[in-house]
Amino acid sequence: MNFIHFLSLILLWSCSTKTPQTTTRQDKKSDQPAVQVGPVLGIERIGEYLPLLKDKRVALVVNHTTIFPNGTHLADSLQKLGVNIKTIFAPEHGFRGMAADGAEIKDGVDTRTGLPIVSLYGKNKKPTPEQLREVDVLIFDIQDVGVRYYTYPSTMHLVMEASAEQGKKCIVLDRPNPNGHFIDGPVLDRKFASFVGMNPVPVVHGLTSGELALMINGEGWLEGKKSADLTVVPCLQYTHKTEYTLPVKPSPNLPNMQSVWLYPSICLFEPTIVSVGRGTDTQFQVIGAPNPAFGSYTFTPVEKPGAVNPPNQGKLCYGKDLRDVDAKNLGFTLQYVLDFYHKAPDKTKFFTSARYFDQLAGTDMVRKMMAEGKSEKEIRQAYEPELARYKEMRKKYVLYAD
């Protein structure tokens, strides 16, 4: 056993303490050491990626979710192992994950590690040649929620693109997808590509970050159809049906699993007059607007950490409380958006940005069919053929059983 593998085994042992989603069991009869039950995350498989970092200059694309089961951050662990980390790249919400949705993240220095932090949100969303000049390897490890509008996959796409263009190695440490148990929604039409949806996948794509990275590479979706020098470190003991409770909230306005499961359906309200609970303690679990026509449940958004100037700030909103909905088994639904649209006294003012709604939906078909009075069933029938083609293509890239 070489020294690197010895160190990695020590660190892996120290990072395998019991957590809500990762438990251990002891065989009392054989006195064997505890065996991990539940997913083994890519970050935990240190022996798979540490040798790739030997004598390399490393950049980390990480945030507050980039932790071992015991809460230790990857940056801290790799520093202790003597890995030459040059830079930390931070996505939306920042390195510590507390910035508000859409807020510009500024460069800085991490006080804990002393490492420079370079923002990948705001004006600079893609690592520049200058920022990667002294880097050989980029490691991406950020918890995703399996929904196309979430911006972390867009950050991964651009990191892969920069890696391909500048001849850098790219490593993705995989994590479970909490919405990986189903696939649904319109497939993005490239005419509506943006940072809230860069790739032609459905709203709920049924992929982990590692699988999506393989798809991006394999389908030639990077600029110029380039291919990144990609290594994915998969999870172990995981399937797409494995229930996985996130150990920390992935972003400020997804505080619990109910919000994560409702997010695919509720996020479509963002470019409308309807609040999704930003500025409350029930983000993405309540919906409402300042009109009693929308329902009997009430709440008032106010400014909070992670929610600067939230929609309908200071206004009493009427709508629905979704905290008791069986969100995990709800899947993706248009029922809430359609219901509120039909109840809107002035439908011409329902969308605050029709373009942004189309970017989230990935198509203008949904909005146009809503205006025509079409049902959810009719809208689903319209996007189903493209969704079926995606599901067939997806089979080439899955690392885990469905």
Side-chain angles (χ1 to χ4, degrees):
M1 179 183 296
N2 63 36
F3 185 63
I4 288 179
H5 278 87
F6 176 71
L7 281 176
S8 69
L9 288 173
I10 291 176
L11 186 57
L12 179 60
W13 175 81
S14 68
C15 296
S16 297
T17 56
K18 186 174 181 178
T19 63
Q21 81 287 351
T22 305
T23 59
T24 59
R25 62 168 177 260
Q26 180 78 32
D27 188 335
K28 295 181 180 179
K29 293 182 179 179
S30 62
D31 292 326
Q32 291 298 310
V35 176
Q36 183 166 319
V37 177
V40 178
L41 311 181
I43 191 175
E44 297 180 81
R45 303 184 64 198
I46 304 170
E48 296 296 316
Y49 60 91
L50 193 60
L52 303 177
L53 310 181
K54 180 176 172 55
D55 300 325
K56 301 295 184 184
R57 299 167 299 176
V58 177
L60 304 180
V61 187
V62 293
N63 68 0
H64 65 292
T65 67
T66 313
I67 55 175
F68 289 85
N70 73 341
T72 302
H73 198 280
L74 178 65
D76 300 326
S77 299
L78 292 184
Q79 265 201 338
K80 289 179 181 179
L81 289 174
V83 173
N84 183 15
I85 304 173
K86 305 296 289 186
T87 305
I88 292 174
F89 287 107
E92 183 178 12
H93 306 300
F95 179 47
R96 297 299 174 189
M98 291 306 296
D101 181 75
E104 184 169 340
I105 307 301
K106 296 182 179 180
D107 297 348
V109 175
D110 178 45
T111 56
R112 196 171 300 173
T113 60
L115 294 169
I117 299 174
V118 176
S119 170
L120 289 183
Y121 194 74
K123 296 179 181 178
N124 176 44
K125 291 185 170 67
K126 177 178 173 180
T128 65
E130 177 60 26
Q131 290 165 348
L132 294 183
R133 185 169 57 84
E134 295 186 3
V135 171
D136 304 307
V137 181
L138 292 101
I139 298 178
F140 181 94
D141 182 6
I142 297 175
Q143 179 65 59
D144 188 25
V145 298
V147 183
R148 191 185 63 227
Y149 349 104
Y150 215 47
T151 61
Y152 297 151
S154 295
T155 296
M156 182 180 72
H157 178 118
L158 294 177
V159 165
M160 290 175 60
E161 200 164 88
S163 299
E165 291 169 352
Q166 300 171 45
K168 310 297 182 180
K169 177 73 178 174
C170 186
I171 301 172
V172 175
L173 306 182
D174 215 4
R175 289 179 177 269
N177 175 359
N179 281 309
H181 53 290
F182 69 106
I183 305 164
D184 203 354
V187 174
L188 179 133
D189 180 337
R190 283 190 175 276
K191 291 187 297 185
F192 300 96
S194 69
F195 199 62
V196 292
M198 299 187 70
N199 298 300
V201 299
V203 171
V204 187
H205 49 67
L207 299 168
T208 63
S209 294
E211 291 170 322
L212 179 58
L214 292 172
M215 182 180 287
I216 291 170
N217 235 18
E219 294 299 308
W221 290 343
L222 299 178
E223 186 71 28
K225 297 189 180 296
K226 292 181 180 292
S227 181
D229 179 6
L230 175 67
T231 294
V232 174
V233 180
C235 301
L236 300 177
Q237 300 171 195
Y238 173 71
T239 75
H240 287 286
K241 293 294 191 289
T242 301
E243 184 170 349
Y244 181 69
T245 300
L246 302 183
V248 295
K249 58 184 180 182
S251 51
N253 288 290
L254 291 179
N256 53 34
M257 292 306 299
Q258 184 75 352
S259 65
V260 169
W261 290 325
L262 284 167
Y263 179 71
S265 304
I266 301 307
C267 189
L268 288 172
F269 279 111
E270 296 275 55
T272 74
I273 60 173
V274 180
S275 166
V276 296
R278 293 183 187 275
T280 74
D281 294 326
T282 52
Q283 309 97 309
F284 285 95
Q285 300 157 84
V286 297
I287 46 179
N291 191 314
F294 292 115
S296 58
Y297 178 75
T298 60
F299 62 93
T300 303
V302 297
E303 194 164 288
K304 288 176 173 284
V308 178
N309 192 26
N312 292 321
Q313 181 177 356
K315 298 178 181 178
L316 182 64
C317 294
Y318 299 82
K320 291 185 176 182
D321 181 356
L322 305 177
R323 284 174 290 178
D324 292 329
V325 170
D326 182 10
K328 183 192 172 188
N329 296 309
L330 176 69
F332 171 74
T333 180
L334 294 167
Q335 64 174 295
Y336 300 121
V337 172
L338 288 171
D339 178 48
F340 273 64
Y341 179 76
H342 293 317
K343 289 178 178 176
D346 186 351
K347 293 176 177 51
T348 64
K349 296 181 179 179
F350 181 76
F351 298 103
T352 55
S353 171
R355 177 64 180 176
Y356 188 31
F357 183 88
D358 294 345
Q359 288 173 334
L360 290 177
T363 173
D364 59 2
M365 175 190 69
V366 174
R367 179 176 53 83
K368 289 179 178 178
M369 292 185 75
M370 287 172 62
E372 293 169 0
K374 302 296 185 183
S375 67
E376 178 169 19
K377 181 179 180 181
E378 289 172 310
I379 297 173
R380 284 184 172 279
Q381 288 174 341
Y383 71 67
E384 182 58 39
E386 192 67 24
L387 181 61
R389 285 190 286 272
Y390 166 80
K391 289 179 179 179
E392 189 62 31
M393 181 269 288
R394 171 184 172 273
K395 294 177 181 178
K396 297 185 290 183
Y397 303 105
V398 292
L399 298 171
Y400 317 101
D402 287 326

